[in-house]
Amino acid sequence: AQSVSQHNHHVILSEAASLELGCNYSYGGTVNLFWYVQYPGQHLQLLLKYFSGDPLVKGIKGFEAEFIKSKFSFNLRKPSVQWSDTAEYFCAVTISGNTPLVFGKGTRLSVIA
Amino acid sequence: KAGVTQTPRYLIKTRGQQVTLSCSPISGHRSVSWYQQTPGQGLQFLFEYFSETQRNKGNFPGRFSGRQFSNSRSEMNVSTLELGDSALYLCASSPGTLMNTEAFFGQGTRLTVV
Protein backbone atom coordinates (compact mmCIF):
# COMPACT_ATOMS: atom_id res chain seq x y z
CA ALA A 1 0.00 0.00 0.00
CA GLN A 2 1.22 3.46 -0.77
CA SER A 3 2.21 5.81 2.01
CA VAL A 4 3.07 9.49 2.27
CA SER A 5 5.70 10.98 4.57
CA GLN A 6 5.84 14.58 5.63
CA HIS A 7 9.08 15.07 7.44
CA ASN A 8 8.34 18.26 9.32
CA HIS A 9 5.72 18.08 12.02
CA HIS A 10 5.83 21.76 12.98
CA VAL A 11 7.61 24.58 11.20
CA ILE A 12 7.96 28.08 12.61
CA LEU A 13 8.98 30.89 10.28
CA SER A 14 9.16 34.63 10.39
CA GLU A 15 7.19 36.64 7.88
CA ALA A 16 8.98 37.00 4.53
CA ALA A 17 11.03 33.84 5.11
CA SER A 18 11.05 31.18 2.41
CA LEU A 19 9.19 27.95 2.92
CA GLU A 20 9.83 24.41 1.79
CA LEU A 21 7.78 21.50 3.13
CA GLY A 22 8.89 18.01 2.28
CA CYS A 23 6.65 15.24 0.98
CA ASN A 24 7.71 11.77 -0.11
CA TYR A 25 5.49 8.93 -1.28
CA SER A 26 6.18 5.24 -1.56
CA TYR A 27 4.47 4.11 -4.78
CA GLY A 28 6.60 3.55 -7.88
CA GLY A 29 3.95 3.81 -10.58
CA THR A 30 1.85 6.64 -11.94
CA VAL A 31 0.60 8.93 -9.21
CA ASN A 32 -1.50 12.03 -8.90
CA LEU A 33 -0.25 14.36 -6.17
CA PHE A 34 -1.95 17.06 -4.14
CA TRP A 35 -1.25 19.61 -1.48
CA TYR A 36 -4.17 20.64 0.69
CA VAL A 37 -4.24 23.37 3.34
CA GLN A 38 -6.40 23.58 6.44
CA TYR A 39 -6.64 27.06 7.96
CA PRO A 40 -7.74 27.21 11.60
CA GLY A 41 -11.44 26.40 11.82
CA GLN A 42 -11.84 25.95 8.08
CA HIS A 43 -12.23 23.03 5.72
CA LEU A 44 -9.45 21.43 3.72
CA GLN A 45 -8.77 23.39 0.56
CA LEU A 46 -6.72 22.45 -2.46
CA LEU A 47 -3.48 24.40 -2.88
CA LEU A 48 -2.23 22.67 -6.00
CA LYS A 49 -2.20 19.37 -7.84
CA TYR A 50 -0.04 17.40 -10.24
CA PHE A 51 -1.44 14.96 -12.78
CA SER A 52 1.07 15.01 -15.62
CA GLY A 53 3.23 17.32 -17.73
CA ASP A 54 5.38 20.10 -16.30
CA PRO A 55 6.70 18.83 -12.97
CA LEU A 56 6.69 22.35 -11.54
CA VAL A 57 3.13 23.23 -10.66
CA LYS A 58 1.83 26.52 -9.42
CA GLY A 59 -1.07 26.84 -7.06
CA ILE A 60 -3.00 29.48 -5.25
CA LYS A 61 -1.57 32.17 -2.97
CA GLY A 62 1.92 31.98 -4.46
CA PHE A 63 2.57 28.35 -3.62
CA GLU A 64 4.33 25.98 -5.98
CA ALA A 65 5.49 22.37 -5.84
CA GLU A 66 7.97 20.32 -7.79
CA PHE A 67 7.41 16.68 -8.68
CA ILE A 68 10.71 14.79 -8.78
CA LYS A 69 9.89 11.26 -9.88
CA SER A 70 13.37 9.87 -9.19
CA LYS A 71 13.14 11.01 -5.60
CA PHE A 72 9.43 10.15 -5.11
CA SER A 73 9.03 13.68 -3.84
CA PHE A 74 6.55 16.52 -4.19
CA ASN A 75 7.85 19.35 -2.05
CA LEU A 76 5.84 22.50 -1.46
CA ARG A 77 7.51 25.90 -1.69
CA LYS A 78 6.72 29.55 -1.23
CA PRO A 79 9.36 32.29 -1.59
CA SER A 80 7.98 34.59 1.08
CA VAL A 81 5.44 33.52 3.70
CA GLN A 82 2.85 35.75 5.31
CA TRP A 83 1.19 35.55 8.69
CA SER A 84 -1.99 34.44 6.91
CA ASP A 85 -0.20 31.27 5.73
CA THR A 86 -0.38 29.93 9.28
CA ALA A 87 -2.20 26.63 8.79
CA GLU A 88 -1.75 22.88 8.52
CA TYR A 89 -0.52 21.53 5.19
CA PHE A 90 -1.23 18.04 3.92
CA CYS A 91 0.35 16.18 1.06
CA ALA A 92 -1.77 13.45 -0.56
CA VAL A 93 -1.41 10.87 -3.31
CA THR A 94 -3.69 8.70 -5.40
CA ILE A 95 -2.57 6.01 -7.85
CA SER A 96 -3.62 7.25 -11.30
CA GLY A 97 -6.70 8.79 -9.70
CA ASN A 98 -8.25 5.37 -9.15
CA THR A 99 -7.55 4.90 -5.46
CA PRO A 100 -8.62 6.90 -2.42
CA LEU A 101 -6.41 9.75 -1.34
CA VAL A 102 -3.65 8.75 1.07
CA PHE A 103 -2.54 11.66 3.21
CA GLY A 104 0.63 12.46 5.03
CA LYS A 105 0.27 13.33 8.71
CA GLY A 106 0.48 17.03 7.98
CA THR A 107 2.87 19.87 8.76
CA ARG A 108 1.76 22.67 10.99
CA LEU A 109 3.15 26.00 9.83
CA SER A 110 3.28 28.92 12.24
CA VAL A 111 4.29 32.28 10.78
CA ILE A 112 5.31 34.91 13.30
CA ALA A 113 5.60 38.63 12.79
CA LYS B 1 -22.30 26.13 -6.56
CA ALA B 2 -22.84 24.87 -3.03
CA GLY B 3 -19.94 23.04 -1.44
CA VAL B 4 -19.89 19.81 0.50
CA THR B 5 -22.22 20.04 3.47
CA GLN B 6 -21.81 17.98 6.60
CA THR B 7 -24.26 17.78 9.46
CA PRO B 8 -24.18 18.11 12.32
CA ARG B 9 -21.06 20.21 12.90
CA TYR B 10 -20.59 19.11 16.48
CA LEU B 11 -21.72 16.06 18.44
CA ILE B 12 -21.17 14.85 21.96
CA LYS B 13 -21.99 11.21 22.62
CA THR B 14 -21.48 8.76 25.45
CA ARG B 15 -19.45 5.58 25.22
CA GLY B 16 -21.53 2.72 23.92
CA GLN B 17 -23.95 4.89 21.98
CA GLN B 18 -24.15 5.02 18.21
CA VAL B 19 -24.00 8.02 15.93
CA THR B 20 -24.95 8.88 12.35
CA LEU B 21 -23.22 11.60 10.38
CA SER B 22 -24.50 13.03 7.13
CA CYS B 23 -22.80 14.39 4.02
CA SER B 24 -24.32 16.13 1.01
CA PRO B 25 -21.84 16.24 -1.88
CA ILE B 26 -21.48 18.92 -4.50
CA SER B 27 -24.28 18.68 -7.05
CA GLY B 28 -23.33 16.26 -9.81
CA HIS B 29 -20.64 14.51 -7.79
CA ARG B 30 -21.15 10.77 -7.52
CA SER B 31 -18.22 9.81 -5.30
CA VAL B 32 -18.23 10.41 -1.57
CA SER B 33 -15.33 9.50 0.70
CA TRP B 34 -15.07 9.66 4.47
CA TYR B 35 -11.95 10.36 6.52
CA GLN B 36 -11.20 10.41 10.22
CA GLN B 37 -8.85 13.19 11.33
CA THR B 38 -7.08 13.03 14.68
CA PRO B 39 -4.01 14.93 15.94
CA GLY B 40 -1.93 11.78 16.26
CA GLN B 41 -2.91 9.90 13.10
CA GLY B 42 -3.73 12.68 10.66
CA LEU B 43 -6.33 11.88 8.01
CA GLN B 44 -7.20 8.22 7.69
CA PHE B 45 -9.44 6.88 4.95
CA LEU B 46 -12.63 5.19 6.13
CA PHE B 47 -14.56 4.30 2.97
CA GLU B 48 -15.65 5.54 -0.43
CA TYR B 49 -19.02 5.26 -2.10
CA PHE B 50 -19.76 5.64 -5.79
CA SER B 51 -23.24 5.33 -7.23
CA GLU B 52 -24.57 3.78 -4.01
CA THR B 53 -21.84 1.09 -3.91
CA GLN B 54 -18.92 0.92 -1.56
CA ARG B 55 -15.91 1.13 -3.84
CA ASN B 56 -13.08 1.18 -1.32
CA LYS B 57 -12.72 0.55 2.39
CA GLY B 58 -10.01 1.52 4.86
CA ASN B 59 -8.71 -0.37 7.87
CA PHE B 60 -11.38 0.42 10.40
CA PRO B 61 -13.42 -2.02 12.51
CA GLY B 62 -16.88 -3.11 11.47
CA ARG B 63 -18.41 -0.63 13.93
CA PHE B 64 -17.83 1.95 11.21
CA SER B 65 -20.24 1.68 8.32
CA GLY B 66 -21.71 3.87 5.67
CA ARG B 67 -24.11 4.09 2.82
CA GLN B 68 -24.95 6.27 -0.13
CA PHE B 69 -28.36 7.17 -1.41
CA SER B 70 -29.56 7.56 -4.98
CA ASN B 71 -29.12 11.34 -4.75
CA SER B 72 -25.45 10.75 -3.80
CA ARG B 73 -25.95 11.92 -0.22
CA SER B 74 -24.05 9.74 2.18
CA GLU B 75 -24.24 8.77 5.82
CA MET B 76 -21.74 7.10 8.05
CA ASN B 77 -22.60 5.29 11.23
CA VAL B 78 -20.46 4.40 14.19
CA SER B 79 -21.89 1.91 16.66
CA THR B 80 -20.79 1.15 20.20
CA LEU B 81 -18.78 4.34 20.45
CA GLU B 82 -15.39 4.28 22.16
CA LEU B 83 -13.41 7.19 23.58
CA GLY B 84 -10.89 6.75 20.77
CA ASP B 85 -13.55 7.52 18.18
CA SER B 86 -13.38 11.17 19.19
CA ALA B 87 -12.22 12.91 16.02
CA LEU B 88 -13.09 15.23 13.19
CA TYR B 89 -14.91 13.26 10.49
CA LEU B 90 -14.47 14.68 7.03
CA CYS B 91 -16.46 13.98 3.93
CA ALA B 92 -15.09 14.61 0.45
CA SER B 93 -16.83 14.50 -2.89
CA SER B 94 -15.59 14.23 -6.45
CA PRO B 95 -17.23 13.67 -9.83
CA GLY B 96 -16.05 10.08 -10.17
CA THR B 97 -12.39 9.23 -9.96
CA LEU B 98 -9.54 11.53 -9.04
CA MET B 99 -7.87 11.02 -12.42
CA ASN B 100 -8.10 14.63 -13.50
CA THR B 101 -9.75 16.40 -10.62
CA GLU B 102 -9.48 16.88 -6.90
CA ALA B 103 -11.59 15.92 -3.92
CA PHE B 104 -13.63 18.69 -2.33
CA PHE B 105 -13.97 18.58 1.43
CA GLY B 106 -16.69 19.59 3.83
CA GLN B 107 -16.05 21.35 7.13
CA GLY B 108 -16.40 18.14 9.05
CA THR B 109 -18.31 16.86 12.03
CA ARG B 110 -16.48 17.11 15.32
CA LEU B 111 -17.42 14.05 17.38
CA THR B 112 -16.58 13.94 21.06
CA VAL B 113 -17.14 10.70 22.96
CA VAL B 114 -17.30 11.02 26.73
Side-chain angles (χ1 to χ4, degrees), chain B residues 7-8 11 19-23 34 74-77 89 109 111:
Chain B
T7 56
L11 267 177
V19 68
T20 298
L21 313 181
S22 180
C23 172
W34 289 88
S74 177
E75 289 181 346
M76 67 163 280
N77 184 277
Y89 290 88
T109 294
L111 172 64

Side-chain angles (χ1 to χ4, degrees), chain B residues 7-8 16 26 28 38 45 68-69 72 81 87:
Chain B
T7 56
I26 291 172
T38 56
F45 172 72
Q68 187 180 33
F69 302 95
S72 293
L81 283 165

Side-chain angles (χ1 to χ4, degrees), chain A residues 20-108:
Chain A
E20 180 159 4
L21 301 182
C23 172
N24 287 90
Y25 61 94
S26 64
Y27 184 70
T30 301
V31 292
N32 293 347
L33 296 154
F34 306 83
W35 275 97
Y36 281 86
V37 61
Q38 191 173 37
Y39 298 104
Q42 295 189 28
H43 64 281
L44 274 168
Q45 301 170 42
L46 183 73
L47 267 181
L48 46 79
K49 60 197 177 197
Y50 173 80
F51 295 135
S52 63
D54 189 343
L56 184 62
V57 293
K58 295 193 183 297
I60 61 171
K61 304 186 181 186
F63 286 91
E64 64 179 31
E66 185 175 13
F67 170 53
I68 303 179
K69 191 173 182 180
S70 61
K71 294 185 178 179
F72 301 92
S73 70
F74 190 55
N75 292 352
L76 181 71
R77 300 195 293 246
K78 185 171 184 179
S80 176
V81 295
Q82 302 172 310
W83 178 81
S84 57
D85 293 324
T86 295
E88 190 147 20
Y89 293 80
F90 294 92
C91 181
V93 63
T94 173
I95 299 174
S96 299
N98 291 320
T99 61
L101 283 172
V102 175
F103 284 86
K105 292 198 173 182
T107 297
R108 187 155 66 98

